[in-house]
Amino acid sequence: MYNPALIACLLSTAAGAYKRQVPSGMPLALSFIVAPLALHRGTRDSLPTTTSIHLRTWMERNPIVRAGFPDRAQALVSPVRQGLRFALRHQILELRADNLLPQSRLPAKVPEHPELDDILRIGRLLGRWLAKNDTATVFALMGVTP
């Protein structure tokens, strides 16, 4: 699950969905929020299926997720950095003014695997969802600092 290529694909998917809402791109710091939310099965399963639920509301309804999030986020710092380096090196993502912009370098067809499909689906949801919130607010709600 902590494969740099998988994390690069996840972040590119999230950044693509984010960019459709905010053309300047997804703040780099949100990579460290997206990955622990999408890669942890328990958290991924508790995420809403729509962006109409506010992040704050979701956090209030899922106190267990919030309680464990800082430790999960800290544990993923190194894998996320590796994934970002992979994405930038292979032109999957572009970094412009501390914002990530997806490039069209993902394979046209990702191998079929139910968990991989779920992770990428959640990546798209997170990109749209996080675009509705200020980055500082997201970090505060998640109980972490950049």
Side-chain angles (χ1 to χ4, degrees):
M1 296 303 287
Y2 302 150
N3 176 323
L6 171 62
I7 293 174
C9 285
L10 167 63
L11 296 178
S12 178
T13 300
Y18 193 103
K19 186 178 182 281
R20 285 191 271 299
Q21 306 291 320
V22 181
S24 61
M26 183 175 86
L28 174 66
L30 288 180
S31 301
F32 298 93
I33 299 292
V34 168
L37 287 172
L39 295 176
H40 181 257
R41 182 168 217 41
T43 303
R44 187 171 65 239
D45 290 345
S46 72
L47 288 167
T49 57
T50 176
T51 61
S52 65
I53 295 173
H54 194 279
L55 179 62
R56 179 182 314 274
T57 304
W58 177 77
M59 291 302 295
E60 289 169 356
R61 292 178 185 168
N62 295 279
I64 303 290
V65 171
R66 187 180 191 282
F69 185 81
D71 290 337
R72 283 191 299 281
Q74 183 62 41
L76 283 176
V77 167
S78 179
V80 170
R81 285 183 180 154
Q82 291 172 12
L84 284 166
R85 281 193 294 271
F86 183 94
L88 294 169
R89 185 178 318 118
H90 294 281
Q91 300 174 340
I92 295 168
L93 287 170
E94 176 185 349
L95 183 61
R96 193 180 307 155
D98 288 335
N99 290 330
L100 294 172
L101 297 164
Q103 302 302 299
S104 55
R105 300 272 305 166
L106 287 179
K109 180 143 173 76
V110 178
E112 288 189 31
H113 187 280
E115 191 166 15
L116 177 59
D117 294 342
D118 195 37
I119 289 169
L120 296 179
R121 179 186 60 78
I122 290 296
R124 283 187 292 279
L125 172 82
L126 289 170
R128 291 189 321 268
W129 203 30
L130 296 176
K132 294 181 173 189
N133 296 277
D134 176 68
T135 302
T137 302
V138 171
F139 274 84
L141 288 172
M142 301 307 290
V144 294
T145 57

